[in-house]
Amino acid sequence: MAREAAEKPPEEILSLWKREQAQLKALLVEQDTEAWQRDPAFSGLQRVGGVDLSFVKGDSASACASLVVLSYPELEVVYEDCSMVNLTAPYMSGFLAFREVPFLVDAVQRLREKEPHMVPQVLFVDGNGVLHHRGFGVACHLGVLTDLPCIGVAKKLLQVDGLENNAQHKEKIRLLQAEGDTFPLIGGSGTVLGMALKSHSHSSKPLYVSVGHRITLESAVRLTRSCCRFRSPEPVRQADIRSRDYIRRTLGSPRPPTPEQERFRNYPLTFCC
DNA sequence: GCGACAG
DNA sequence: ATCTTGTCGC
């Protein structure tokens, strides 16, 4: 049943989506609202969450949505929720939330109902926050809909509002020396939209951190740093690992290849079709 | 027609 | 996002 997600929505729908983003953006809070966020050691912070979706190969509509909660500062997984979902909306840059966020909200809701004491105090989201075409990326969207503090963490620079992954940008990246080094991502209007962060000493590619909801960029970057064992923040990394594992266990190999098939799997063919 | 394009 | 194993380097 490899259904495809819908094709590109008509302009009419995109207008509705833009209006929705604008309305929800009015509810966005870009300040630290929690005491632990301003504490030098994040005292009072005990649970950090991460969300992610992994896809079934060759099927842009089937995915596993996962929400994990880790203890802080140990960063050990204390809660996991993986569920297969059928996506409706296609992927479009600038509208990622309309594709993924409903399933993430569902996961948060399940957690609130079943184990309210495990609800995370902050959520790391795979994607951007205010570093976005209209200042309202998936991390903001999830943050406002759940009213949880959220941090946007992207692996690639979203080239928006004058930001370009050009030679100068690459040079700034090259200059990031030690783990924790950063440089600001300044939009056309002079606003700091996010921060490029060298999150691991052996990583040449930075992380692009931006405010999701109920946290300042400064706190977001500092917390991201303290949650990175490897390149990506441990909550997001665990959500990623566990969602793909779930797919492997579920649909990975319904029929394991026979040893015979295995031997000839990559045999070079002279004629094809 | 050409470039851009988080996940 | 996914296609993909081993391999070079600290």
Side-chain angles (χ1 to χ4, degrees):
Chain A
M1 292 292 136
R3 304 178 322 181
E4 292 297 307
E7 48 191 272
K8 177 179 177 179
E11 286 302 326
E12 181 185 46
I13 300 295
L14 294 183
S15 293
L16 290 174
W17 285 359
K18 289 178 189 174
R19 185 189 313 175
E20 177 87 347
Q21 289 176 328
Q23 291 178 341
L24 291 176
K25 185 169 171 54
L27 304 176
L28 188 63
V29 175
E30 299 189 53
Q31 290 298 314
D32 288 327
T33 62
E34 312 301 302
W36 59 262
Q37 293 168 333
R38 297 194 174 229
D39 186 282
F42 293 119
S43 297
L45 179 61
Q46 296 171 328
R47 294 173 309 282
V48 294
V51 292
D52 190 34
L53 265 71
S54 290
F55 291 79
V56 174
K57 69 172 181 181
D59 183 347
S60 61
S62 302
C64 172
S66 73
L67 163 63
V68 300
V69 181
L70 282 62
S71 61
Y72 187 89
E74 299 81 8
L75 300 180
E76 284 162 5
V77 178
V78 295
Y79 175 88
E80 166 181 359
D81 174 19
C82 286
S83 66
M84 292 303 299
V85 298
N86 291 305
L87 289 78
T88 305
Y91 167 70
M92 293 189 62
S93 181
F95 301 97
L96 178 61
F98 294 93
R99 174 166 166 80
E100 302 191 345
V101 104
F103 310 102
L104 303 178
V105 172
D106 285 348
V108 170
Q109 186 52 31
R110 278 195 295 275
L111 173 53
R112 281 181 160 148
E113 290 171 357
K114 296 178 182 175
E115 309 195 53
H117 59 287
M118 293 297 262
V119 172
Q121 292 159 288
V122 59
L123 266 182
F124 285 92
V125 182
D126 209 335
N128 292 296
V130 299
L131 173 45
H132 178 267
H133 306 64
R134 290 162 295 280
F136 199 75
V138 63
C140 299
H141 210 121
L142 183 61
V144 168
L145 292 190
T146 62
D147 200 32
L148 284 176
C150 283
I151 298 173
V153 181
K155 294 177 285 298
K156 292 187 295 194
L157 176 66
L158 183 54
Q159 302 187 134
V160 72
D161 195 20
L163 295 175
E164 278 187 292
N165 184 24
N166 54 24
Q168 290 146 43
H169 180 80
K170 287 171 180 153
E171 176 61 11
K172 289 181 187 172
I173 290 176
R174 209 180 56 74
L175 293 176
L176 294 177
Q177 186 63 59
E179 168 183 330
D181 283 357
T182 62
F183 66 83
L185 303 165
I186 303 174
S189 58
T191 314
V192 178
L193 300 177
M195 208 71 103
L197 165 69
K198 185 180 179 79
S199 57
H200 191 273
S201 54
H202 296 297
S203 179
S204 56
K205 301 177 63 175
L207 240 39
Y208 296 98
V209 179
S210 59
V211 169
H213 186 49
R214 293 177 56 171
I215 194 166
T216 60
L217 181 58
E218 294 64 37
S219 299
V221 170
R222 198 162 64 86
L223 183 61
T224 300
R225 280 193 60 179
S226 94
C227 288
C228 284
R229 283 183 177 169
F230 302 99
R231 186 191 174 215
S232 25
E234 203 56 19
V236 167
R237 199 176 77 90
Q238 287 299 328
D240 177 66
I241 291 173
R242 286 156 194 265
S243 58
R244 3 164 54 103
D245 277 0
Y246 189 87
I247 287 178
R248 283 197 56 188
R249 293 197 308 267
T250 307
L251 317 163
S253 28
R255 252 171 298 154
T258 66
E260 191 70 355
Q261 291 173 319
E262 194 60 26
R263 285 205 301 136
F264 297 109
R265 184 160 47 85
N266 286 326
Y267 198 85
L269 298 173
T270 303
F271 300 103
C272 180
C273 306

